[in-house]
């Protein structure tokens, strides 16, 4: 391996990542700051004491670095001293590990460092092979023999060379299911999140739901009972029982994401490939195979990625067409259900659904709903929505009576000014639902708020003026629902609240699809009420009034005119009422609580650490010190999420309870949806199977080898003999690696 696996994130649980390193003549830095110390600090300090001989520390302050003296270094590595007590909250302790190589993982708030070994005798990899249809077992390791040099012929027979063995230690794989979650995070979630974050909220929500549906369908195809996330029926592609294992599922999920990024979120594709090449062997013991091009029998189904990228509907399958389903099923069967090819087929199924899901993601419809004949614009409105044309915009109507949403002016800080367009105003009535019924969508309505606008405007001004560092942190944190999703999921994962990797995937598909339905419902009501934002109303109706308020980043509270007032952060390009965040966070609360109830978990505190200076509105300054957003339960978190929209000046008062009431019950239905997909098996526990040193064999007759395009990373099964294995700290929990059943 060429990486160092290390725990980096604290709070509600540890995250882990892989740090590339050569380790020869270099020192790789492992940082511990005020926001990464676990509640069980003694566990970490005990480990650091064990590593003391190979670790050096220094302090990092805003004014620069300094090396710790020998006495300080001893104190930094002791079990009962924390050097930050004297250095202050704005400093951090940075420790460099001088081991040749260490493999580290995190589980149950404990840090385990294992198998430090010399890299001068690198293991010899097995030859590159085509993808195998056998489930992958944990690899064994052997060394190649060293042959004596050839000498000149003599009359005596040449003795056979005596093989020599180089002693080396091989790190064990992370425990199950950590290895699979780590692979999903590093090879899918990590690479795609930066691209998704560039999108507006409804488009973000749609992408996460599609990707999680795609991941889940890989679980369902390699199982005997689980259901397709799009149809809620058994998949039309089903692998034989001999392939029902977690190895095939995770390979399928990574291959599906890789193919997804050949058409959408294309900037993420290189990141997936790099992650697969650099970390999958560390986590799984082999490199996940990826196909460079679309498998030819799949292309024969009428699929064409180049035309798909140009938004041509005829280049996608129709997932409801029996003919197209049969073609995809025949292609993957002919490939022997190779997960690198099944993943492509699953991605194509998702493509076909997304092309027809009512979002106009291809831009093949114009504003009036007619076909677009050229120059397609993805996600364009198809319902002829037009924002209020009042001043600024030219109506003789009294400004005091303006109530309709108005496009706000934005700029790039470099001289380019532009007005917003209401994002996806058509989805409320046009988008396909995933969890709730169309009748339920239609029945969900929000009452007219009947705002007293002058009074509400004054409240918005007062709330923004009263912002503390903690409230600012909440306004920013809850603005990005991906933060909430990943942190809650990560906390559940690291505190071992998922019985298996598959349970985690079922959780994700239910969570993001209920979030998707909540978004569609609240967008329907946003369009129906089409109400003005506080920014527009205050800037026009209080434009010449002077009052104390937040004056912008780094400016604090000053006397300003109403025409210059803005909320704490950017106002999203959609109408004010009801609050989408309040709606979504109510759904999140219900879904997570339903999962916790089924698992018998009564207490689930949440911690969202915010480092000093981590603000994106006032970077480097806000918050002034480490600020942990701590909530005793999911309900408290959801309440803070809703309230933050008012604190930031983004909404008038009634928008928040209206959003919560509008989406009440959607999270519960989302959990019922996930329960249907997993066939009610939330309390199923995977059997513990001792790993074999050889890949397990299949009882099925072997399928003919498919004609596949070249792979980016084939799946070699390395074989090197283990001579020595050392453990520096106590062994981790004795969860034996497992192929995770035939469920």
């Amino acid at each position: 391996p060429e990486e160092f696996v290390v725990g980096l994130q604290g709070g509600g649980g540890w995250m882990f990542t892989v740090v590339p390193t050569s380790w020869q003549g270099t020192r790789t830095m492992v940082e511990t700051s005020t926001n990464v110390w676990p509640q069980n600090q003694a566990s970490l300090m005990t480990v650091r004491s064990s590593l003391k001989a190979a670790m050096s520390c220094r302090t990092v302050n805003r004014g620069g670095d300094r090396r710790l003296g020998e006495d300080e270094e001893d104190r930094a590595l002791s079990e009962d001293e924390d050097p930050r007590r004297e250095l202050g909250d704005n400093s951090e302790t940075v420790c460099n590990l001088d081991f040749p190589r260490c493999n580290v993982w995190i589980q149950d708030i404990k840090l385990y460092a294992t198998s430090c070994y010399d890299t001068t005798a690198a293991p010899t990899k097995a030859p590159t092979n085509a993808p195998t249809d056998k489930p992958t077992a944990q690899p064994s390791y052997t060394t190649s023999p060293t042959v004596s040099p050839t000498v000149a012929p003599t009359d005596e027979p040449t003795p056979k060379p005596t093989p020599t063995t180089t002693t080396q230690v091989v790190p064990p794989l992370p425990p199950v299911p950590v290895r699979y979650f780590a692979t999903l995070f590093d090879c899918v979630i990590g690479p795609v999140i930066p691209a998704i974050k560039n999108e507006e909220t409804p488009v973000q929500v749609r992408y996460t739901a599609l990707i999680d549906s795609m991941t889940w369908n890989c679980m369902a195809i390699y199982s005997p009972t689980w259901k397709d996330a799009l149809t809620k029926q058994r998949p039309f592609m089903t692998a034989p029982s001999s392939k029902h294992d977690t190895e095939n599922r995770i390979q399928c999920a990574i291959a599906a994401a890789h193919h997804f990024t050949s058409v959408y979120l294309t900037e993420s594709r290189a990141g997936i490939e790099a992650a697969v090449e650099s970390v999958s062997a560390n986590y799984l013991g082999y490199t996940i195979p990826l196909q460079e091009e679309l498998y030819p029998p799949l292309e024969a189904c009428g699929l064409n990625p180049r035309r798909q990228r140009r938004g041509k509907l005829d280049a996608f399958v129709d997932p409801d067409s029996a003919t197209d389903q049969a073609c995809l099923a025949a292609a993957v069967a002919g490939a022997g259900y190779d997960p690198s090819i099944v993943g492509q087929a699953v991605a194509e199924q998702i493509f076909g659904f997304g092309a027809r899901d009512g979002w106009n993601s291809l831009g093949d419809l114009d504003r009036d709903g007619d076909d677009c004949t050229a120059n397609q614009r993805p996600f364009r409105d198809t319902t002829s929505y037009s924002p209020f044309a009042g001043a600024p915009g030219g109506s003789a109507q009294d400004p005091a009576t303006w109530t309709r949403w108005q496009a706000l002016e934005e700029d790039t800080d470099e001289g380019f000014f532009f007005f917003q367009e209401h994002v996806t105003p058509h989805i409320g009535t046009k988008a396909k639902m995933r969890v709730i019924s169309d009748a339920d969508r239609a029945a969900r309505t929000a009452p007219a708020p009947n705002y007293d606008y002058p009074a509400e405007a004054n409240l918005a001004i007062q709330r923004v003026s009263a912002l503390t560092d903690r409230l600012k942190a909440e306004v920013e944190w809850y603005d990005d629902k991906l933060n909430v999703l990943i942190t809650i999921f990560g906390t559940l994962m690291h505190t071992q609240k998922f019985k298996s990797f598959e349970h985690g995937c079922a959780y994700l598909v239910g969570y993001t699809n209920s979030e998707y339905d909540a978004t569609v419902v609240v967008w329907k009501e946003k369009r129906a009420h089409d109400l003005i934002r506080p920014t527009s109303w205050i800037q026009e109706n209080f434009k010449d009034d002077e009052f104390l308020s937040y004056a912008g980043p780094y400016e604090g509270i000053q006397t300003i005119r109403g025409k210059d007032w803005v909320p704490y952060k950017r106002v999203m390009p959609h109408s004010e009422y009801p609050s989408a965040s309040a709606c979504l966070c109510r759904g999140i609360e219900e879904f997570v609580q339903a999962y916790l109830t089924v698992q018998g978990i009564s207490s689930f505190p949440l911690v969202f650490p915010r480092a000093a200076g981590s603000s994106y509105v006032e970077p480097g300054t806000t918050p002034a010190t480490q600020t942990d957003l701590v909530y005793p339960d999911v309900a408290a978190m959801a309440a803070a999420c809703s309230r933050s929209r008012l604190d930031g000046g983004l909404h008038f008062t009634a928008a928040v309870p209206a959003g919560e009431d509008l989406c009440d019950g959607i999270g519960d239905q989302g959990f019922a949806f996930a329960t249907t997909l997993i066939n009610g098996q939330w309390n199923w526990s995977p059997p513990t199977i001792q790993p074999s040193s050889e890949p397990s064999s299949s009882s099925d007759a072997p399928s003919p080898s498919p004609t596949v395009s070249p792979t980016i990373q084939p799946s070699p099964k390395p074989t090197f003999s283990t001579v020595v294995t050392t453990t520096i700290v106590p062994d981790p929990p004795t969860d034996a690696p497992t192929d995770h059943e035939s469920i």
Side-chain angles (χ1 to χ4, degrees):
E2 297 299 329
E3 293 80 29
F4 178 73
V5 186
V6 63
L8 293 177
Q9 177 68 42
W14 285 81
M15 297 289 287
F16 47 86
T17 189
V18 171
V19 182
T21 175
S22 65
W23 288 93
Q24 293 302 311
T26 64
R27 286 150 56 110
T28 294
M29 185 178 298
V30 180
E31 297 187 356
T32 62
S33 62
T34 55
N35 68 319
V36 303
W37 289 66
Q39 293 178 352
N40 188 0
Q41 180 174 320
S43 295
L44 176 60
M45 297 303 289
T46 298
V47 173
R48 294 179 67 200
S49 294
S50 301
L51 301 179
K52 176 180 175 181
M55 181 185 291
S56 60
C57 294
R58 59 189 173 90
T59 59
V60 178
N61 297 298
R62 289 187 179 180
D65 315 11
R66 68 178 178 85
R67 288 282 301 196
L68 285 178
E70 183 175 351
D71 291 340
E72 292 173 300
E73 182 175 326
D74 288 345
R75 187 169 69 251
L77 295 170
S78 71
E79 297 186 33
D80 54 3
E81 285 278 347
D82 181 351
R84 293 170 302 142
R85 293 176 184 170
E86 299 178 4
L87 299 173
D89 289 338
N90 292 331
S91 66
E92 58 188 16
T93 302
V94 177
C95 295
N96 298 330
L97 297 179
D98 291 333
F99 281 112
R101 188 183 304 277
C102 296
N103 195 34
V104 180
W105 70 76
I106 305 304
Q107 184 162 321
D108 194 26
I109 319 300
K110 296 182 180 67
L111 174 64
Y112 297 100
T114 65
S115 307
C116 294
Y117 62 98
D118 188 356
T119 58
T120 57
T124 305
K125 291 186 176 180
T128 295
N129 300 317
T132 176
D133 62 356
K134 296 180 179 179
T136 305
Q138 185 178 4
S140 60
Y141 293 83
T142 60
T143 54
S144 301
T146 300
V147 181
S148 302
T150 303
V151 296
T154 67
D155 294 336
E156 299 296 327
T158 302
K160 293 182 179 180
T162 302
T164 60
T165 302
T166 302
T167 299
Q168 60 179 305
V169 180
V170 177
L173 300 180
V176 172
V178 169
R179 71 182 66 165
Y180 303 115
F181 285 129
T183 304
L184 186 69
F185 262 87
D186 280 8
C187 297
V188 177
I189 297 175
V192 303
I193 279 180
I196 294 176
K197 279 180 175 286
N198 291 332
E199 308 293 343
E200 297 291 349
T201 298
V203 180
Q204 283 187 12
V205 169
R206 177 180 178 271
Y207 273 131
T208 56
L210 287 175
I211 291 170
D212 289 334
S213 296
M214 182 170 65
T215 299
W216 173 256
N217 281 0
C218 281
M219 309 298 114
I221 287 170
Y222 290 100
S223 83
T225 61
W226 295 343
K227 296 178 176 62
D228 185 292
L230 302 182
T231 66
K232 305 176 191 176
Q233 305 294 324
R234 282 289 292 152
F236 60 82
M237 299 177 282
T238 54
S241 60
S242 61
K243 297 183 178 295
H244 293 177
D245 61 62
T246 305
E247 301 298 333
N248 281 312
R249 293 176 190 135
I250 187 64
Q251 290 184 42
C252 173
I254 305 305
H258 179 250
H259 187 58
F260 186 92
T261 56
S262 69
V263 176
Y264 300 113
L265 307 177
T266 54
E267 61 268 45
S268 304
R269 186 174 174 88
I272 291 176
E273 293 172 356
V276 165
E277 181 177 359
S278 64
V279 306
S280 65
N282 282 18
Y283 294 150
L284 303 177
Y286 59 89
T287 301
I288 294 174
L290 298 175
Q291 302 293 325
E292 281 188 353
E293 303 291 342
L294 182 62
Y295 179 47
L298 288 174
E299 192 168 4
C301 295
L303 308 176
N304 187 319
R306 288 170 292 282
R307 286 176 53 77
Q308 289 172 344
R309 286 191 291 271
R310 301 204 308 270
K312 304 304 179 183
L313 186 62
D314 61 2
F316 297 88
V317 296
D318 180 351
D320 295 326
S321 164
T323 300
D324 287 354
Q325 289 181 5
C327 189
L328 294 180
V332 299
Y337 294 94
D338 181 328
S340 71
I341 294 167
V342 174
Q344 289 190 329
V346 171
E348 288 292 343
Q349 177 198 14
I350 295 294
F351 289 163
F353 175 85
R356 298 167 176 83
D357 66 358
W359 286 66
N360 197 27
S361 63
L362 304 182
D364 54 337
L365 298 178
D366 279 329
R367 283 188 181 275
D368 57 7
D370 287 343
D371 291 341
C372 178
T373 60
N375 301 310
Q376 297 167 210
R377 303 177 73 179
F379 298 103
R380 188 178 193 178
D381 174 41
T382 62
T383 59
S384 300
Y385 170 81
S386 178
F388 175 56
S395 169
Q397 185 182 21
D398 180 359
T401 66
W402 291 350
T403 60
R404 284 194 60 199
W405 180 77
Q406 297 177 33
L408 293 171
E409 185 181 55
E410 298 191 276
D411 70 275
T412 63
D413 288 333
E414 296 179 350
F416 177 60
F417 292 78
F418 57 95
F419 282 92
Q420 294 175 340
E421 287 276 345
H422 195 301
V423 61
T424 59
H426 57 293
I427 64 171
T429 56
K430 299 296 184 181
K432 288 184 179 179
M433 306 307 290
R434 308 275 182 82
V435 171
I436 70 174
S437 67
D438 288 337
D440 191 356
R441 165 173 51 180
R444 292 177 178 271
T445 59
N450 298 318
Y451 287 133
D452 178 343
Y453 279 101
E456 287 292 337
N458 276 303
L459 283 173
I461 293 168
Q462 292 168 18
R463 287 165 179 149
V464 175
S465 301
L467 285 173
T468 63
D469 276 10
R470 177 186 172 85
L471 293 177
K472 288 178 179 179
E474 286 185 325
V475 172
E476 294 185 32
W477 179 260
Y478 292 112
D479 193 52
D480 187 346
K481 304 307 178 292
L482 286 172
N483 290 336
V484 181
L485 164 64
I486 293 171
T487 306
I488 295 177
F489 181 80
T491 303
L492 287 166
M493 179 179 67
H494 292 300
T495 54
Q496 300 178 328
K497 298 301 190 294
F498 296 121
K499 289 184 168 63
S500 71
F501 170 69
E502 290 82 353
H503 283 114
C505 293
Y507 171 95
L508 282 176
V509 72
Y511 181 114
T512 55
N513 276 277
S514 56
E515 190 176 49
Y516 167 97
D517 275 20
T519 300
V520 172
V521 167
V522 78
W523 242 251
K524 174 176 71 75
E525 292 304 289
K526 281 181 174 289
R527 169 70 182 273
H529 292 278
D530 201 30
L531 291 184
I532 194 170
R533 288 278 187 173
T535 310
S536 302
W537 199 96
I538 291 170
Q539 287 182 354
E540 181 57 38
N541 290 278
F542 288 175
K543 61 184 175 183
D544 294 323
D545 295 351
E546 292 188 348
F547 46 79
L548 284 171
S549 187
Y550 177 71
Y554 307 108
E555 299 299 327
I557 306 301
Q558 298 185 24
T559 298
I560 65 173
R561 290 192 181 94
K563 65 182 180 180
D564 300 320
W565 184 88
V566 296
Y568 173 68
K569 59 164 293 295
R570 175 186 179 243
V571 180
M572 298 301 183
H574 45 82
S575 49
E576 186 270 341
Y577 180 87
S579 165
S581 291
C583 163
L584 268 61
C585 285
R586 170 59 62 86
I588 292 168
E589 174 192 355
E590 291 177 349
F591 182 89
V592 176
Q593 189 56 56
Y595 177 79
L596 296 175
T597 299
V598 165
Q599 297 300 327
I601 301 167
S602 58
S603 175
F604 188 66
L606 289 166
V607 181
F608 303 146
R610 308 304 301 139
S614 60
S615 166
Y616 64 78
V617 176
E618 298 175 327
T621 300
T622 302
T625 61
Q626 171 77 22
T627 301
D628 291 345
L629 306 179
V630 181
Y631 307 102
D633 51 37
V634 182
M637 180 277 298
C641 171
S642 293
R643 188 196 66 244
S644 70
R645 304 304 89 190
L646 298 178
D647 292 337
L650 304 167
H651 284 281
F652 297 126
T653 306
V656 165
E660 292 173 335
D661 293 344
L662 178 67
C663 294
D664 190 55
I666 292 179
D668 288 330
Q669 292 191 58
F671 186 74
F673 164 78
T675 300
T676 296
L677 299 186
I678 201 170
N679 202 36
Q681 295 175 317
W682 288 114
N683 289 315
W684 163 85
S685 295
T688 300
I689 303 172
Q690 294 297 331
S692 168
S693 61
E694 298 294 335
S696 59
S697 60
S698 168
S699 59
D700 288 1
S703 303
S705 299
T707 302
V708 297
S709 55
T711 58
I712 294 172
Q713 290 295 333
S715 182
K717 302 296 187 286
T719 52
F720 312 125
S721 64
T722 300
V723 179
V724 178
T725 299
T726 60
T727 302
I728 298 176
V729 297
D731 287 333
T734 56
D735 295 341
T738 170
D739 283 336
H740 270 222
E741 102 292 331
S742 293
I743 302 174

